[in-house]
Amino acid sequence: MLASMVSLSNTTAFQCCNHHHKLLQIRASSAAPGVDLKNLESALAKKDSNAVKEALDQLSEVGWAKRWSSQPYVSRRTTSLRVLTTLGIKNAENLAIPSVRNDAAFLFTVVGTTGFLGVLAGQLPGDWGFFVPYLIGSISLVVLAVGSISPGLLQAAISGFSAVFPDYQERIARHEAAHFLIGYLIGLPILDYSLDIGKEHVNLIDEKLEKLIYSGQLDAKELDRLAVVAMAGLAAEGLQYDKVVGQSADLFTLQRFINRSKPQISKDQQQNLTRWAVLFGGSLIKNNKSLHEALMTAMSNKATVLECIQAIEKAA
């Protein structure tokens, strides 16, 4: 699982200093003379979504937060898989199919390793040659039992194991930066994020939308906005990789929004909404490639939310 939306190593002293110097450069160069970011910084520290939105609106009025809420209007339209392919989405027909790459690799590794060790242990003398293979072989059964009783524990283990894939950390950054960027462009205040494996998320929502979600009163306009943000991570992966790995959480989030909307939409409309949201989100990512890449770098360097916003505006 790479992402979920709505509630994202140790380094040498030189690297820390260098990173701090870079962040100071971002802060100095992206804040225009006379622009005060203290209100925004304070609102982010308090995790007050209304205050964050007000601060960004004020910064937009004075000409600093130019990209904030620059895409406030989204309008759903009929979208085919062919259009997604034309955009550059790879294997568009498989986007809605949850990936089992990491799960399968983890389980095959457990079974393969325990099987190999069991064969070796069988060569031990006496009773050890019987009991040790038996104990090793039971590890696979324990793993399956844990998955049945407590799926969350197994998923945490799979997430940790997934770090062995060379592209996994880059996928997380690309995926979560897409949620962050599209939310920012659409006008949803970002409160925090994490790229930590197993905890990756971007927390972005405002109180008005939160109330509509919990009351099950999302209208079509708000559903469309949230759908684009929810599918942004999937779209970012689809533009870069042949297979999308982190779509499960995104699809779950989108389904949650659909279930909380009125009037309810049909299965065919849900499929079209998903395709359109991928198309719209993917188009925004392609059209703002430099912003997305700058944000990926900032997030990978564990920048604060304020520093991430400054990176976006500087890249713009």
Side-chain angles (χ1 to χ4, degrees):
M1 184 188 303
L2 288 185
S4 59
M5 197 185 91
V6 179
S7 340
L8 239 292
S9 65
N10 291 330
T11 59
T12 64
F14 172 78
Q15 288 174 318
C16 289
C17 292
N18 187 44
H19 168 58
H20 181 65
H21 178 64
K22 288 180 179 179
L23 294 181
L24 288 176
Q25 285 183 321
I26 291 175
R27 183 179 289 110
S29 59
S30 53
V35 175
D36 188 355
L37 301 181
K38 290 182 180 179
N39 288 341
L40 177 57
E41 187 174 16
S42 175
L44 288 169
K46 296 176 182 177
K47 298 191 184 302
D48 184 335
S49 60
N50 285 338
V52 171
K53 187 174 185 298
E54 290 176 5
L56 285 169
D57 286 343
Q58 293 171 359
L59 289 169
S60 178
E61 290 176 4
V62 300
W64 184 78
K66 296 179 181 179
R67 292 297 181 174
W68 163 250
S69 197
S70 58
Q71 293 286 337
Y73 303 109
V74 296
S75 181
R76 192 189 320 170
R77 63 183 178 85
T78 302
T79 304
S80 66
L81 290 176
R82 181 178 298 178
V83 176
L84 293 180
T85 302
T86 302
L87 176 67
I89 299 291
K90 301 174 176 61
N91 297 317
E93 66 278 3
N94 295 324
L95 286 179
I97 301 175
S99 171
V100 296
R101 183 192 77 166
N102 297 343
D103 306 54
F106 174 75
L107 293 176
F108 279 133
T109 300
V110 170
V111 174
T113 302
T114 55
F116 176 72
L117 292 176
V119 171
L120 291 180
Q123 309 303 314
L124 294 174
D127 291 340
W128 291 105
F130 171 76
F131 287 110
V132 174
Y134 176 80
L135 292 173
I136 293 175
S138 66
I139 293 175
S140 297
L141 297 178
V142 171
V143 170
L144 294 176
V146 169
S148 300
I149 298 171
S150 183
L153 289 176
L154 182 60
Q155 187 59 52
I158 291 173
S159 296
F161 174 82
S162 300
V164 303
F165 290 102
D167 66 347
Y168 195 65
Q169 197 64 57
E170 197 272 347
R171 278 179 182 268
I172 292 176
R174 183 173 299 278
H175 191 113
E176 300 305 328
H179 287 311
F180 192 125
L181 176 62
I182 302 307
Y184 187 78
L185 296 178
I186 284 179
L188 293 178
I190 292 86
L191 300 182
D192 64 23
Y193 75 92
S194 172
L195 299 185
D196 295 340
I197 294 176
K199 298 179 181 180
E200 56 272 11
H201 73 277
V202 172
N203 182 3
L204 62 165
I205 201 69
D206 61 29
E207 291 183 10
K208 177 184 175 182
L209 278 178
E210 197 168 24
K211 290 178 181 178
L212 291 175
I213 292 171
Y214 284 118
S215 64
Q217 300 295 321
L218 278 177
D219 60 23
K221 176 183 175 181
E222 299 298 353
L223 176 60
D224 288 354
R225 294 176 70 212
L226 289 172
V228 172
V229 179
M231 292 293 97
L234 184 156
E237 281 197 68
L239 287 169
Q240 182 70 18
Y241 304 106
D242 291 332
K243 291 184 179 181
V244 176
V245 173
Q247 74 271 61
S248 298
D250 290 357
L251 293 169
F252 176 83
T253 298
L254 178 58
Q255 189 61 54
R256 175 172 173 254
F257 292 148
I258 291 172
N259 293 342
R260 296 286 184 170
S261 66
K262 283 191 177 182
Q264 287 289 305
I265 60 178
S266 67
K267 293 295 183 182
D268 288 342
Q269 289 174 322
Q270 291 182 32
Q271 290 179 356
N272 182 67
L273 172 63
T274 303
R275 290 193 294 264
W276 167 80
V278 173
L279 174 66
F280 198 96
S283 298
L284 287 179
I285 292 167
K286 286 192 70 173
N287 293 337
N288 295 278
K289 184 178 179 181
S290 60
L291 277 64
H292 185 224
E293 291 178 348
L295 181 57
M296 283 176 58
T297 300
M299 293 172 72
S300 297
N301 288 331
K302 301 185 182 299
T304 66
V305 173
L306 177 59
E307 290 161 348
C308 287
I309 292 173
Q310 289 175 301
I312 292 172
E313 295 297 343
K314 179 185 178 183

